[in-house]
Amino acid sequence: MHNISRRRFLQQVSAWSAGLAVAAPLFRIAPNRAMAAVDAAPMLTVGQGTDYVALVAKVLEPLGGIGAFVKSGDRVVVKPNIGWDRTPQQAANTHPDVVKALVQLALDAGAKKVSVFDRTCNDARRSYANSGIQPAVESIGSDKVECSFVDDRKFVPVRIENGRSLNEWTFYKDALDVDCYINVPIAKHHSRAKLTLGLKNVMGVMGGKRGDIHPDLGQCIADLNMVVAPKLTVIDATRILLRNGPTGGNLADVEQRDTLIASRDIVATDAYATHKLFNLDPRDIPAVTAAYDCGMGQMDLDKMNVVEV
Amino acid sequence: MSRIEAEQLSKKPRRSTLGNFRGRGWRWARRVTQWVVLVVFFYLFRHTQLTLDPPPEHANIFFRLDPLVAASAMLAGKAMIAGMLMSLIVIAATLLLGRVFCGWFCPLGTLLDTLGPALRVGKRNKENKPASKRWWRGGGYALLTVLLIGAVLGLPLVGFFDPFAILMRGAAFAIDPLLSWSTYEGSSWLYLNAPESVTGISEPIYAFMRDNNILAFERAAFIGAWISAGFLLVIFLLERVEKRFWCRNLCPLGAMLGLFARLSPMRRKPDLSCPGCGDCMTTCRMGAFNEAGKLEPQACTLCMDCASDCTHGIAAFAWRRPAWLNRRTKTNAPRTIPLPIRGQTPSIDLSRRAFLGSCATGIALPLVSAAAMNAGLAKKPKLLRPAGSVSADEFLNRCIRCGQCMKVCPTNGLQPTILEAGLAGMFSPQLIPRRGCCEWNCNLCGQVCPTAAIALLPLETKQTIAIGRAEFDKDRCIPYADRENCLVCEEHCPVPDKAIRLSTVMIELEDGQSMELQEPFVEPDLCIGCGICENVCPLEGAAGVRVSPL
């Protein structure tokens, strides 16, 4: 609760009441990606291991550790894929251990608040629980950590200044109004987008009718990423879904890879994962090429500074 | 008869060993019980939704205790429904104690008692007519007759008149959505428009209501909610005519319990209102004293008002040897009490003529319905019933229209039929995929169905049952009609091997370039008709892929 004097309360209420007729919604959050200069040779780390908690710390180390992303007192968002009512083994959602490790690291780095959320496709309660993510995050037992369902009222309209297919869309306020946004997608097959990786994962913080952007999905995903700018993308390839994505459900379509890929450059992580995990050409992934064309990152595998840990 | 005589009457055969129920304490006990049961009812109501802990399996307990629903569903379904045998508890309690269920437990009765004074505001004559012999008095028995005969003959109408079903539907379809939507819309408006000083107050209130299950997790809306609200509203407004109008004159469950209460050994002493004061006759909320001043056990709900308020301190309730036991010894024993009120089980308020009329109606309605069906005036409808539903013919026999399956459905896709299943099928559940799909990992409707009209299937079984099949409308579906890629349906299809498949074709665009176009089609053997494809189709209005019943 915050303190406010009675006088100030009455002032605000009367000012507000008077202004109601002409008032527009108060918050308009400006896009926080100022199209920062993109590193032409981004560092990208890739590591393998079966202890996913240790692996998270290991892949972050060459990038400067969590301290390079989260400062003391920061408000942090860790955005996994919790889209589906599936178990961790079915590889439709980010692995709970990976999410939990990132949340724990952010707390250790002094984060004031760490939020974990996703706008789910199946029922939110079941998706949060059955993905294992909500239980894992809550097992940390810190009141600085919040793993709550998306609140419909918090989608705010944002202008997308340089958007090529989208010029305005609603975004989740809590995803924009943060100091550090960490993107933790799972790598899996998707018939329309071909693959769903870091760039596609941003669809979890967009409002409105998400199906509407499917005809020109690649460019729309790139446009959405102009608004949501993750400081760090960690692709969870501990197990990947090869077919029948993004929902999966058949364990025969799942492949154990015990791999994590991390970088500041979201285009680089996606391009590298496309090649390394699925043996596909990044140029065949519409979202990757669209984001690259918009100057949002590096997709040329030869120009990346890949560090294997 | 004088007061002395009445006192003597009360003292005569004292076979009760458990003492008398007398005094204000018992009225308070009744009030407290009523409130506790009402709280339990609304706790279970709120738990009739997707909660992972505890699961809503027992949310249907009120319906499983309801002997009217049990009798009707078993007679109509011609089957023993194990889960409904719990209602024997209520029968046993009624045989032992009389209609305590109506007076102490029924949540609708409690609501009527609670809201009655407010509903009667402005009514000039608040006096209760004792032993009202108005023509509608036996309505409950007439309804009961029609319902049970109708059930046997294949036209079960119990859901329209069962008090829990009416209350549950009114609360679930109308009141709860109204509460949820208005709170949500109001707080959202404040959240979006008001300064922090106001949201600092409104937001914690909203969060508290949301997090403590006062609001439904998902804001639901139901087709024809106003009809369900209307049923409830009429019952509440009738409170202006007489106290507990519904309970005394119409409730078929109350009538059924009244039949058993006649046999109960629990009786008031004296069973006559003493002419000296007669207060009990006018205060009785059930109008249970007849014209002779005798308390009729089939109408008395043991509210204990008359025993608490008795100015002479003589009225009490106690167990006595019931009249139907006396009959056997009637010939030997001299009749010490030469009053017609002794030695016979009380008669009910339904004249022979009205009873025969009810029987005739109960027989005629199913015949009319069957005739209409045979004449082709009405068709057996094909609807998307919940997975696990018994066969279409059986479904309406079993379904008691309690609305719990629709209340619990997490997507709000289960909606009440209005006329789609015929007038008699009103309020039965059907899936409207455009509103919400049948979730893959969900069998909640089977969990809460009290009569097993929707069987409780293990998830692995439920996931293989086809309730319908999706079909693409190639004049609307985006890849076919607009030659653009879309595939939102395929993306969401929860069948592990995808019941929506794709065929890739190369098409030539206007500018001469070629494009890969993915056209979806349904794999009929895999599709279970869950309707998520229809639900997520991005088209405005009707979807490009629609689920039809099999």
Side-chain angles (χ1 to χ4, degrees), chain A:
Chain A
M1 286 299 286
H2 55 161
N3 294 315
I4 184 160
S5 69
R6 181 181 303 146
R7 173 185 293 253
R8 182 145 167 67
F9 173 78
L10 292 174
Q11 276 174 350
Q12 282 197 13
V13 172
S14 47
W16 165 58
S17 311
L20 260 187
V22 289
L26 287 186
F27 26 70
R28 290 269 179 211
I29 292 175
N32 60 357
R33 175 192 281 269
M35 298 308 280
V38 174
D39 191 346
M43 179 188 276
L44 179 144
T45 60
V46 52
Q48 284 193 315
T50 48
D51 179 354
Y52 301 151
V53 175
L55 188 60
V56 170
K58 222 163 77 177
V59 293
L60 292 190
E61 220 164 88
L63 297 167
I66 191 73
F69 305 96
V70 178
K71 302 277 179 268
S72 182
D74 273 2
R75 292 163 306 150
V76 178
V77 163
V78 175
K79 162 65 178 74
N81 186 332
I82 327 177
W84 308 97
D85 180 9
R86 297 291 199 204
T87 60
Q89 297 77 28
Q90 290 171 322
N93 302 309
T94 308
H95 198 287
D97 289 352
V98 175
V99 180
K100 183 182 173 184
L102 279 167
V103 172
Q104 187 64 58
L105 284 175
L107 283 178
D108 296 346
K112 185 168 72 182
K113 187 180 174 194
V114 185
S115 307
V116 179
F117 51 77
D118 190 17
R119 185 179 165 203
T120 61
C121 298
N122 293 141
D123 183 90
R125 290 160 289 188
R126 286 204 177 95
S127 303
Y128 271 52
N130 294 343
S131 67
I133 290 174
Q134 189 179 37
V137 170
E138 283 176 352
S139 73
I140 295 172
S142 163
D143 56 5
K144 294 176 184 167
V145 179
E146 187 182 55
C147 183
S148 55
F149 305 119
V150 161
D151 181 344
D152 296 350
R153 309 171 307 162
K154 292 190 180 175
F155 287 99
V156 292
V158 179
R159 274 196 65 74
I160 305 172
E161 300 292 345
N162 301 308
R164 294 184 181 179
S165 278
L166 290 179
N167 296 108
E168 188 176 321
W169 201 269
T170 55
F171 286 79
Y172 200 52
K173 184 169 159 262
D174 291 5
L176 304 180
D177 190 16
V178 289
D179 302 307
C180 176
Y181 181 105
I182 300 174
N183 186 23
V184 209
I186 177 174
K188 54 180 178 169
H189 165 259
H190 189 287
S191 14
R192 180 72 194 96
K194 290 207 165 62
L195 293 176
T196 154
L197 298 160
L199 289 161
K200 171 96 175 49
N201 197 35
V202 75
M203 286 182 72
V205 300
M206 70 184 284
K209 225 164 86 187
R210 293 186 283 192
D212 281 352
I213 68 166
H214 272 225
D216 190 16
L217 189 60
Q219 185 59 52
C220 287
I221 289 176
D223 291 349
L224 295 170
N225 274 276
M226 293 174 186
V227 176
V228 183
K231 276 194 176 173
L232 170 68
T233 297
V234 180
I235 293 185
D236 164 30
T238 54
R239 68 273 177 271
I240 62 175
L241 189 58
L242 296 172
R243 290 170 296 275
N244 294 322
T247 48
N250 189 343
L251 292 183
D253 296 334
V254 178
E255 192 173 278
Q256 192 78 15
R257 296 296 285 267
D258 296 330
T259 303
L260 293 180
I261 299 166
S263 176
R264 285 185 172 80
D265 185 332
I266 189 170
V267 185
T269 51
D270 281 16
Y272 184 82
T274 304
H275 173 71
K276 161 107 179 164
L277 301 172
F278 297 90
N279 207 19
L280 294 173
D281 189 334
R283 280 170 295 192
D284 289 338
I285 311 299
V288 175
T289 45
Y292 175 76
D293 288 344
C294 292
M296 297 164 70
Q298 181 58 269
M299 70 177 283
D300 191 337
L301 301 175
D302 297 332
K303 291 182 180 161
M304 296 173 196
N305 172 18
V306 179
V307 180
E308 296 197 19
V309 295

Side-chain angles (χ1 to χ4, degrees), chain B residues 2-188:
Chain B
S2 72
R3 208 185 112 203
I4 311 295
E5 270 178 291
E7 271 183 65
Q8 278 174 343
L9 270 180
S10 74
K11 279 173 189 160
K12 264 286 151 54
R14 182 164 294 179
R15 294 212 172 82
S16 158
T17 51
L18 288 169
N20 299 328
F21 298 104
R22 185 202 301 274
R24 291 174 196 281
W26 285 104
R27 175 157 64 187
W28 275 108
R30 186 259 300 165
R31 283 182 181 154
V32 170
T33 312
Q34 278 188 298
W35 277 99
V36 169
V37 175
L38 191 66
V39 168
V40 170
F41 181 82
F42 282 105
Y43 173 83
L44 290 175
F45 177 80
R46 186 46 78 219
H47 273 77
T48 312
Q49 66 169 344
L50 169 58
T51 56
L52 302 167
D53 183 34
E57 283 165 0
H58 303 296
N60 58 18
I61 202 102
F62 277 89
F63 289 95
R64 290 166 60 192
L65 283 169
D66 181 336
L68 175 67
V69 160
S72 173
M74 289 194 218
L75 287 174
K78 317 278 186 291
M80 181 66 82
I81 304 170
M84 297 296 308
L85 292 178
M86 199 187 268
S87 59
L88 290 175
I89 297 173
V90 172
I91 302 268
T94 309
L95 281 172
L96 198 63
L97 297 163
R99 278 175 70 178
V100 279
F101 189 78
C102 305
W104 291 50
F105 294 95
C106 177
L108 184 59
T110 306
L111 285 174
L112 289 172
D113 286 346
T114 311
L115 299 176
L119 291 164
R120 284 188 291 275
V121 162
K123 189 172 182 274
R124 265 184 301 155
N125 180 16
K126 287 180 188 171
E127 279 273 289
N128 222 15
K129 269 203 181 157
S132 112
K133 280 292 175 194
R134 291 171 161 164
W135 62 268
W136 55 65
R137 178 71 172 179
Y141 297 102
L143 264 178
L144 179 67
T145 313
V146 174
L147 293 185
L148 292 183
I149 293 180
V152 174
L153 298 181
L155 187 72
L157 300 170
V158 68
F160 294 97
F161 300 104
D162 179 75
F164 295 153
I166 292 173
L167 178 57
M168 180 60 86
R169 282 199 308 266
F173 295 170
I175 296 169
D176 191 39
L178 186 68
L179 175 75
S180 288
W181 281 101
S182 56
T183 314
Y184 173 80
E185 292 294 341
S187 75
S188 300

Side-chain angles (χ1 to χ4, degrees), chain B residues 386-399:
Chain B
S389 296
V390 294
S391 70
D393 291 340
E394 265 307 287
F395 190 78
L396 289 179
N397 284 341
R398 285 269 188 127
C399 172

